[in-house]
Amino acid sequence: MHKARLEEISKLFLEYRRLFEARDAEQIADFYRFPIHYYFSNGKKSELSREYFIGRVEKLLKLYEKLGVNQIVGAVTDVIELNENASLATLNWVLLDTSQEKPRQVYSAITRYMVCDYNGELKIDGLIGVDETQQLKQALSAA
C-alpha cells in the first residue's frame, strides 16, 4: 500500500470521527456514496439510501448521548488495497465519557469500511458491522 493512500484514509476517518463528536448526521452522510451497502454482523445485508442512513445515524447519536459518549477515538488498524480504487479499512473505535476527571470507556468496537475513489475523492461505499451492535447492547444494559 502506498503511504499516501494510508494517510488519505486516516485523514478521512479523523474528520469523520470529528463529525460524530459534533453529532452532525447530515455531514456524516457526506462521507458516503449512496446507496451504500451495510453488512450486518448477523450475515444480513442492506442497501441504504441517504435518508434512511441519516435516520440511523441520528438514532445512534441519541444512544451515544444517553450513554454519555462525548469523545470518540478511532484508529485505523488495517487497510487492504483491493484494487487501485478500492480499499478495505478496519477501524477500532473507542467511545469515551470524559465528563469526569478520569475518562471512562463506554465501549469499543471494530468496524470495517469499503473506501473508494469516487469523482476524485475518497468516499465510504460500504459499511461492515463487526461487533458494534453487541458492544452497544452491553453498554446500554450496564448504563
Side-chain angles (χ1 to χ4, degrees):
M1 160 162 297
H2 299 290
K3 185 178 178 184
R5 176 69 162 203
L6 181 58
E7 288 174 0
E8 287 176 16
I9 290 171
S10 293
K11 183 178 176 184
L12 172 86
F13 285 107
L14 184 64
E15 183 64 16
Y16 180 77
R17 174 200 59 84
R18 188 188 68 73
L19 290 172
F20 260 96
E21 288 180 342
R23 297 188 180 347
D24 191 331
E26 289 277 340
Q27 285 192 340
I28 290 167
D30 290 343
F31 283 83
Y32 287 83
R33 177 182 168 196
F34 290 95
I36 64 163
H37 291 99
Y38 184 83
Y39 300 87
F40 296 88
S41 56
N42 65 6
K44 293 182 181 180
K45 176 179 121 174
S46 289
E47 188 175 277
L48 307 179
S49 69
R50 180 181 172 89
E51 296 76 26
Y52 181 79
F53 178 80
I54 289 170
R56 300 267 307 178
V57 170
E58 287 172 343
K59 184 178 178 181
L60 182 62
L61 292 171
K62 286 178 185 173
L63 287 173
Y64 286 176
E65 187 174 350
K66 180 179 179 179
L67 291 169
V69 173
N70 52 16
Q71 183 179 359
I72 301 170
V73 179
V76 177
T77 60
D78 190 35
V79 175
I80 299 170
E81 252 185 292
L82 302 172
N83 61 36
E84 64 186 44
N85 292 309
S87 301
L88 182 64
T90 301
L91 276 89
N92 182 33
W93 296 107
V94 178
L95 291 89
L96 303 168
D97 174 355
T98 60
S99 62
Q100 304 297 317
E101 186 175 325
K102 183 179 178 186
R104 176 183 65 87
Q105 180 175 314
V106 177
Y107 75 91
S108 68
I110 295 171
T111 306
R112 292 192 175 97
Y113 302 85
M114 175 75 71
V115 180
C116 301
D117 283 320
Y118 182 70
N119 290 337
E121 64 180 324
L122 284 180
K123 291 283 188 179
I124 300 169
D125 196 48
L127 183 59
I128 303 160
V130 177
D131 65 355
E132 185 168 15
T133 301
Q134 178 184 356
Q135 299 298 333
L136 190 53
K137 284 179 183 177
Q138 289 175 351
L140 282 169
S141 67

